[in-house]
Amino acid sequence: MLERLTVGDFLYREGDTNDCAYVIAEGNVILFRDEDGTRRIIERRGSGSIVGEVSVLRGLPRAVSVQAETNCIVFRISAEQIAARFADLDPLMTACIETTIGFIESMNSSDKASAIEPKQPTNLEVLIDRLQLEADLEEGLKRNEFHMNYQPIYDLARERIAGFEALMRWMHPALGFVRPDHFIAVAEEMGSISKLTNFAVSNACAALADFRRKSGSDGLFMSINMTARDLMREDFIGFLCNQIDLNALEPCDVKLEITESALVSSTSIVEFNLNQLSRLGFGISVDDFGTGYSNLGHLHLLPLTALKVDRVFANGAHKSKINLSIVRMLISLAKELGVDVIAEGLENRNDVDALKNLGCRYFQGYHFYKPMPFEETLANLLAAENPAAE
Ligand code: C2E
Ligand code: CA
Ligand code: CA
């Protein structure tokens, strides 16, 4: 909420209780303390600065008074808004902020003994675990601890494997199997996702070329998961095209999967690159569709080729009227958009039948195949292509 102050107005006074901080949009304010009747100026803050944040984060009364030095416009931020963002912060940033605030408090404290008391960040264990995982990710890449699994995507109309989704696996030497959604999110935040994506792209393209050569099926495709961060990389399209050429594939043999939630918050660079990839002929699938609250009006502006119905709707659809209605709606939306539908997470025949009756053609789930290492996927592909040889 915007507030206007004229010269001399007080934003708040020392000792006031508080429930908000302020971002200064325009003008300057003076921070001061009253010391035995004398005003001691502590600092001047201008546009772009924030005031009142320390007492909000600490839940303490205002430590200083703040007065407008010029006409000002300030933006009020509630304690709840700050608390919600603080709770979502990366643990390293939480430790930086808590340590800095502790330092400011020590400098302002008359009790100098407390200034040399070491202060512990509140989430020390979380922070150390997280930093260790980040270091292990980098090391793991060098030590070949990652590999790709492939999960076949089944075409029910033609009763054969249509393609695969490449899914990354990390066997950590001490922790064992680490869930990919966990380490991918960490890698995305710390910036090393590009190395993992390059690893996925080069392995998945080579695997597709092998699957095609060894099975003689040249219509098979490979789906590879992308994050929004990958689609912001300047070198990404070049890298991808290079891998396609190296393996004698065409762009249309590869589908890039991006989650609906990543698309919702995507930047114009991401959309620009998606359009570029689409012009080159790559498939573009919206992953986990139905969970990301996308603006449907915006969806048809994106160069999509498939929607992947999330398993929360597909799995159990035959038992739940609501899920079945949602899937029906998603399938008709896909038809309107002129894109394929792939149902994810199918674990039983009843759900497959229910979705088939709604017009769904492509299926991915344990009912058909689990994600498997390369050799096992190849064996299953060969068995499916040539059942008599079994
Ligand atoms: P996702 O892209 O939605 O992948 C599908 C997930 O559903 C996979 O989990 C797969 O193993 C699981 N799944 C498939 N069929 C069934 C089923 O019938 N029942 C159940 N319960 N699950 C099924 P996974 O392999 O654990 O991957 C989790 C997520 O991690 C992926 O979700 C994807 O978001 C991310 N991920 C995995 N590999 C990569 C990668 O190489 N790059 C990126 N950026 N993300 C990846
Ligand atoms: Ca996916
Ligand atoms: Ca998915």
Side-chain angles (χ1 to χ4, degrees):
M1 192 186 15
L2 274 181
E3 291 179 21
R4 287 173 194 281
L5 304 175
T6 40
V7 184
D9 282 351
F10 275 84
L11 197 53
Y12 52 78
R13 291 174 195 266
E14 190 176 344
D16 284 353
T17 52
N18 73 82
D19 62 355
C20 66
Y22 299 88
V23 170
I24 304 169
E26 267 181 52
N28 293 331
V29 296
I30 290 281
L31 281 63
F32 67 90
R33 252 201 216 118
D34 184 37
E35 288 181 353
D36 302 326
T38 320
R39 175 180 284 209
R40 184 165 80 83
I41 295 190
I42 292 166
E43 213 185 344
R44 171 179 285 114
R45 290 193 191 162
S47 56
S49 314
I50 188 161
V51 284
E53 75 295 353
V54 173
S55 56
V56 168
L57 286 167
R58 281 286 192 246
L60 295 172
R62 303 294 190 192
V64 294
S65 300
V66 176
Q67 192 176 23
E69 193 185 30
T70 62
N71 290 343
C72 291
I73 299 178
V74 295
F75 209 97
R76 185 179 192 280
I77 322 158
S78 69
E80 291 76 33
Q81 280 173 290
I82 295 175
R85 284 173 171 79
F86 200 67
D88 285 349
L89 267 190
D90 174 301
L92 185 58
M93 294 321 293
T94 314
C96 285
I97 293 172
E98 286 185 348
T99 307
T100 307
I101 289 177
F103 177 72
I104 294 168
E105 283 176 335
S106 304
M107 297 315 280
N108 290 338
S109 165
S110 49
D111 171 15
K112 289 297 169 202
S114 76
I116 49 166
E117 280 291 312
K119 294 200 171 50
Q120 231 189 38
T122 41
N123 283 326
L124 183 61
E125 228 173 277
V126 177
L127 173 62
I128 299 296
D129 283 355
R130 172 60 187 266
L131 292 176
Q132 186 63 51
L133 194 71
E134 292 187 11
D136 291 353
L137 260 171
E138 290 284 337
E139 273 303 299
L141 267 164
K142 289 184 209 144
R143 291 203 236 121
N144 290 328
E145 290 166 11
F146 292 84
H147 72 272
M148 300 307 292
N149 269 3
Y150 302 95
Q151 185 176 28
I153 296 173
Y154 197 74
D155 176 350
L156 209 59
R158 288 166 62 232
E159 295 193 336
R160 60 195 300 181
I161 293 171
F164 309 87
E165 174 170 2
L167 293 159
M168 196 173 293
R169 296 290 177 257
W170 181 18
M171 285 308 283
H172 187 286
L175 302 173
F177 174 78
V178 186
R179 288 179 47 155
D181 38 3
H182 178 50
F183 71 75
I184 293 285
V186 171
E188 196 175 7
E189 275 178 33
M190 68 184 270
S192 56
I193 187 68
S194 55
K195 290 185 198 152
L196 293 183
T197 303
N198 286 1
F199 177 85
V201 167
S202 56
N203 279 273
C205 289
L208 178 63
D210 266 358
F211 289 148
R212 286 174 155 213
R213 200 170 38 249
K214 292 181 174 151
S215 69
S217 313
D218 55 9
L220 296 167
F221 65 81
M222 182 63 73
S223 279
I224 309 175
N225 291 288
M226 299 289 122
T227 65
R229 216 169 159 140
D230 294 313
L231 293 165
M232 284 158 68
R233 280 168 54 188
E234 274 181 22
D235 64 334
F236 180 65
I237 298 185
F239 178 80
L240 189 58
C241 291
N242 200 14
Q243 293 300 314
I244 295 286
D245 291 345
L246 264 175
N247 291 287
L249 298 168
E250 296 293 328
C252 61
D253 303 331
V254 170
K255 299 180 194 287
L256 305 172
E257 294 194 4
I258 175 153
T259 62
E260 188 189 16
S261 47
L263 273 182
V264 168
S265 50
S266 68
T267 58
S268 50
I269 306 172
V270 170
E271 288 181 19
F272 178 84
N273 283 335
L274 283 176
N275 280 308
Q276 183 91 344
L277 287 160
S278 160
R279 274 194 292 276
L280 289 166
F282 289 95
I284 294 165
S285 310
V286 184
D287 205 355
D288 304 343
F289 190 61
T291 61
Y293 310 104
S294 50
N295 171 350
L296 299 181
H298 181 225
L299 212 59
H300 83 275
L301 299 174
L302 298 170
L304 308 176
T305 51
L307 300 182
K308 294 192 78 173
V309 176
D310 193 76
R311 84 164 174 264
V312 293
F313 307 116
N315 190 11
H318 82 280
K319 285 190 292 196
S320 155
K321 271 190 166 178
I322 294 278
N323 279 9
L324 206 60
S325 307
I326 294 174
V327 176
R328 183 181 294 116
M329 190 195 75
L330 299 179
I331 291 175
S332 71
L333 178 68
K335 284 200 176 127
E336 288 292 320
L337 294 171
V339 301
D340 288 333
V341 187
I342 300 166
E344 287 191 290
L346 274 298
E347 292 185 1
N348 61 70
R349 184 82 235 171
N350 292 339
D351 288 330
V352 174
D353 288 342
L355 268 71
K356 185 183 163 198
N357 290 338
L358 295 179
C360 187
R361 174 171 169 186
Y362 297 100
F363 292 85
Q364 182 180 349
Y366 297 168
H367 175 69
F368 296 94
Y369 299 96
K370 289 198 167 174
M372 298 167 282
F374 173 82
E375 290 297 343
E376 203 181 331
T377 316
L378 178 63
N380 274 278
L381 173 66
L382 296 178
E385 292 284 316
N386 191 6
E390 264 187 275

